[in-house]
Amino acid sequence: MVLIGTGNVATHLFHAFLTTENVKVIQVYNHLEESLLPFKKHTATTTSLSQIKDADVYVICVKDDFVAETAKKISFKKGIIAHTSGSVELLKSSAHSAVFYPLQTFSKNVEVDFKEIPFCLETSNKGDNELLEGLAKSISNKVYFISSAQRKKLHLAAVFACNFVNYMYSISEDICKENQVPFDVLSALIKETAKKATLNSPKDVQTGPAVRKDQKTIQHHLDQINNADYKEIYKLLTQSIINQHE
């Protein structure tokens, strides 16, 4: 296998495959030599797409805007050319195009348990299903074949469940810092909320002043918010919760 890219996803995939017996990353590509330094002691590297080695699978881990362009540049290769994006459709640049999408949030210095990470797969050639599935199962216990249309909706749902929720955490952290309260005080609440949401329908376990329509508390909160963006977010989310539970 050849990895195209050295970002968060590529780095985690690389280290995950290092622990497998049947999968070998024979090369890593990045256009910047310095980005390849952490990989050099483990495998071959290159800064030129024209010099990538022959492999059974090429996994493209680059920004969404560059996925199609990168796939086109290596379309002369005979192996499966798979990208890891949740929002980019199955490409048609190769007879062996595929999607190898790990549904998780990645930061380079934060360890993840790949066995618990769902992999969403799709191929343009059904004959490639077995190989791509085997690649995913070598590091994960949760592997699914999902269409581009389904994956785009899933990625949208993931943005709400992860990116937007994390932004809410950052707002909470700002409020805590402004008032000299340790953000860690909210840790148990954050963990319990996530636990309940995964064990139940989130709608069924919604709590707080909005679902109770506690207008005095809502107004009291709004009076305390000085940041205009945060205030608008509070108003919008509060009204949306009220509407959902009408």
Side-chain angles (χ1 to χ4, degrees):
M1 183 181 74
V2 171
L3 273 177
I4 311 294
T6 57
N8 292 338
V9 175
T11 298
H12 278 283
L13 283 176
F14 180 76
H15 288 292
F17 284 123
L18 279 181
T19 66
T20 65
E21 295 182 0
N22 299 323
V23 179
K24 183 178 180 181
V25 180
I26 62 172
Q27 192 179 43
V28 177
Y29 160 86
N30 191 286
H31 68 287
L32 297 174
E33 182 68 32
E34 55 266 34
S35 296
L36 294 168
L37 294 178
F39 303 89
K40 283 184 174 294
K41 64 180 179 180
H42 300 290
T43 191
T45 61
T46 182
T47 57
S48 174
L49 286 175
S50 64
Q51 295 179 5
I52 60 173
K53 297 183 176 185
D54 292 335
D56 293 325
V57 183
Y58 301 86
V59 180
I60 299 174
C61 310
V62 300
K63 293 181 179 179
D64 290 357
D65 289 347
F66 300 104
V67 168
E69 175 186 344
T70 304
K72 186 175 181 179
K73 287 180 178 179
I74 63 171
S75 60
F76 63 92
K77 289 296 184 179
K78 295 181 179 179
I80 298 172
I81 300 176
H83 71 71
T84 57
S85 171
S87 61
V88 177
E89 64 184 15
L90 178 66
L91 301 175
K92 299 179 181 178
S93 54
S94 166
H96 299 280
S97 294
V99 177
F100 191 74
Y101 171 49
L103 182 52
Q104 183 57 280
T105 174
F106 293 100
S107 297
K108 280 188 179 180
N109 298 320
V110 179
E111 290 187 13
V112 296
D113 182 3
F114 264 92
K115 291 297 182 184
E116 296 300 314
I117 295 177
F119 272 78
C120 302
L121 312 181
E122 186 178 12
T123 63
S124 61
N125 186 327
K126 298 306 179 185
D128 295 330
N129 285 6
E130 184 177 353
L131 177 57
L132 199 66
E133 184 178 18
L135 186 67
K137 285 186 175 180
S138 71
I139 56 176
S140 173
N141 293 327
K142 300 180 178 181
V143 179
Y144 309 89
F145 280 92
I146 294 178
S147 71
S148 287
Q150 290 173 314
R151 180 167 40 83
K152 285 183 178 182
K153 298 298 185 184
L154 186 59
H155 188 260
L156 173 60
V159 167
F160 275 93
C162 174
N163 306 138
F164 291 169
V165 168
N166 191 70
Y167 181 63
M168 296 299 103
Y169 294 157
S170 74
I171 293 176
S172 296
E173 185 179 38
D174 284 348
I175 294 172
C176 287
K177 284 181 177 179
E178 288 174 4
N179 293 278
Q180 292 79 53
V181 177
F183 180 62
D184 184 60
V185 174
L186 293 174
S187 292
L189 176 65
I190 291 172
K191 292 174 183 177
E192 180 63 19
T193 302
K195 179 181 177 181
K196 286 199 299 183
T198 56
L199 296 177
N200 305 273
S201 166
K203 183 178 179 181
D204 292 341
V205 292
Q206 182 71 51
T207 62
V211 75
R212 297 193 302 267
K213 298 181 183 178
D214 189 345
Q215 294 298 335
K216 287 185 178 180
T217 299
I218 291 169
Q219 188 57 51
H220 183 57
H221 286 168
L222 288 170
D223 291 342
Q224 297 178 76
I225 301 174
N226 298 317
N227 183 297
D229 287 341
Y230 294 176
K231 183 169 288 191
E232 285 305 309
I233 290 170
Y234 186 101
K235 287 180 180 178
L236 180 61
L237 290 176
T238 294
Q239 189 57 54
S240 187
I241 292 171
I242 290 173
N243 294 343
Q244 186 183 62
H245 290 269
E246 282 286 306

